[in-house]
Amino acid sequence: MVLNQYIYSRLSPESVQAHLEHHYDLSPIKSCVFYVFGLHDNYLVKTEESQFILRLYRNQWRNADEVFFELELLNYLKQQAQAVASPLHTKAHELAFEIQSPEGVRFSALFNYADGKGLTQEISTQESELLGTTIANIHSATGDFKTTHKRNELNLTYLLDESVELIAPFINAEKQEFLTEIQKKLHKQLLPITQSDADFGICIGDVNQSNFHINTSKQITVFDFDQCGYGYRAFEVGKFSSSLFRSPNKKQLTKAFLKGYETVRKLSTVEKNAIPYFEIAATIWVMSIRVANEDKVGHLHLEEGYWNQRFAILEALDKQVS
């Protein structure tokens, strides 16, 4: 039996530049460097006039349907004049191109660089409010989005039940029991939103202060839609709140985000009541994403210390809703 010897390979910047020059009509490339290690590989590309991000998708994490759902959504949002980092078309007028790698075919896409800069300190309440308004505008613009490509819905089966199943082998019996109780509680507490006419549509899936830039005119550009899909819009607020778990100003920042969001789109009482429970679901989902990417992050980052830290957060969140 022949086994696949490669789990993950990384292209050299020189090879990436050669692919770019072949597939895109760009002005001469001045530099191409490996930029950031994440769920996918990202390269910073600079020409005389502009800069871009080249994302090389990992085929163990995203299949073709998932990749092109994201890219078509971003291209649609660009056409709707929304503040997102959108993909460029290749010479063949495609949103991505294929690269042969030792682990198989990987898709790659070139994105416009998000205008402005990332935050160098904690997000402020003003920035949080502005981000909420920006996300609400994006939600409003996706009503007519159509694609033939499929992605998992951001529902409780995917966010919670499948996550609990993935996490279980990595934790002890005590933590498994606690997680099962949380799972039951979330199903019960989120039942009202599933029975209501709550807003269900495109969600970015990972709204946090690391995934946007802000320019000198205080305009925000959002990027990284890798976790996007159809879900309850209230989940988006819960997911943002879950990203603030280290912040002493978490309550004020979440309130500011919601205030900005509601200047564009109002949420019902049922939706607002669901936000703390979606925050818990999002926290569990993030844990499962790390498990699902064990082959890249390494087992060292899934040992007891990690789980103790994450379950301490879960316990604190559970106390807040009890």
Side-chain angles (χ1 to χ4, degrees), residues 180-207:
T180 300
E181 288 304 312
I182 291 282
Q183 183 181 13
K184 292 176 182 176
K185 178 183 288 188
L186 292 183
H187 274 285
K188 180 181 179 181
Q189 296 297 332
L190 288 170
L191 185 60
I193 198 171
T194 65
Q195 296 176 333
S196 72
D197 59 353
D199 192 14
F200 190 91
I202 289 290
C203 291
I204 296 168
D206 193 19
V207 178

Side-chain angles (χ1 to χ4, degrees), residues 63-263:
N63 60 34
D65 255 350
E66 293 169 320
V67 169
F68 284 98
F69 183 108
E70 175 194 349
L71 295 177
E72 288 184 7
L73 172 60
L74 286 166
N75 188 56
Y76 175 86
L77 287 170
K78 176 189 176 184
Q79 294 168 0
Q80 301 300 309
Q82 292 302 302
V84 299
S86 57
L88 281 72
H89 284 88
T90 66
K91 294 175 183 177
H93 205 68
E94 301 289 345
L95 291 172
F97 63 93
E98 296 180 2
I99 291 180
Q100 296 292 334
S101 70
E103 64 268 33
V105 173
R106 296 176 66 179
F107 289 100
S108 192
L110 186 65
F111 295 84
N112 289 299
Y113 192 84
D115 187 34
K117 295 182 179 180
L119 301 181
T120 57
Q121 55 191 10
E122 181 179 274
I123 189 171
S124 68
T125 53
Q126 293 82 5
E127 290 160 343
S128 188
E129 183 175 339
L130 180 58
L131 180 61
T133 302
T134 304
I135 300 306
N137 282 326
I138 290 172
H139 285 175
S140 293
T142 58
D144 294 326
F145 172 66
K146 299 285 192 303
T147 180
T148 59
H149 299 291
K150 305 297 182 184
R151 268 197 174 228
N152 284 313
E153 284 191 358
L154 303 177
N155 55 32
L156 285 186
T157 299
Y158 175 62
L159 296 173
L160 181 61
D161 300 337
E162 292 180 15
S163 295
V164 168
E165 187 176 343
L166 278 173
I167 292 166
F170 291 84
I171 56 178
N172 60 33
E174 182 182 356
K175 286 185 172 64
Q176 286 184 29
E177 183 179 356
F178 174 71
L179 194 57
T180 300
E181 288 304 312
I182 291 282
Q183 183 181 13
K184 292 176 182 176
K185 178 183 288 188
L186 292 183
H187 274 285
K188 180 181 179 181
Q189 296 297 332
L190 288 170
L191 185 60
I193 198 171
T194 65
Q195 296 176 333
S196 72
D197 59 353
D199 192 14
F200 190 91
I202 289 290
C203 291
I204 296 168
D206 193 19
V207 178
N208 67 72
Q209 73 172 50
S210 298
N211 285 345
F212 72 86
H213 283 173
I214 185 166
N215 64 18
T216 55
S217 300
K218 301 299 181 183
Q219 295 174 320
I220 280 177
T221 301
V222 184
F223 54 87
D224 194 354
F225 280 51
D226 181 62
Q227 295 174 28
C228 67
Y230 287 97
Y232 289 104
R233 262 50 187 273
F235 166 75
E236 201 90 282
V237 186
K239 183 64 165 65
F240 172 71
S241 186
S242 75
S243 73
L244 302 170
F245 67 90
R246 289 193 178 95
S247 171
N249 302 313
K250 174 184 168 183
K251 187 175 292 186
Q252 298 94 314
L253 293 171
T254 301
K255 185 177 179 180
F257 181 93
L258 187 56
K259 178 183 177 183
Y261 188 92
E262 289 204 296
T263 61

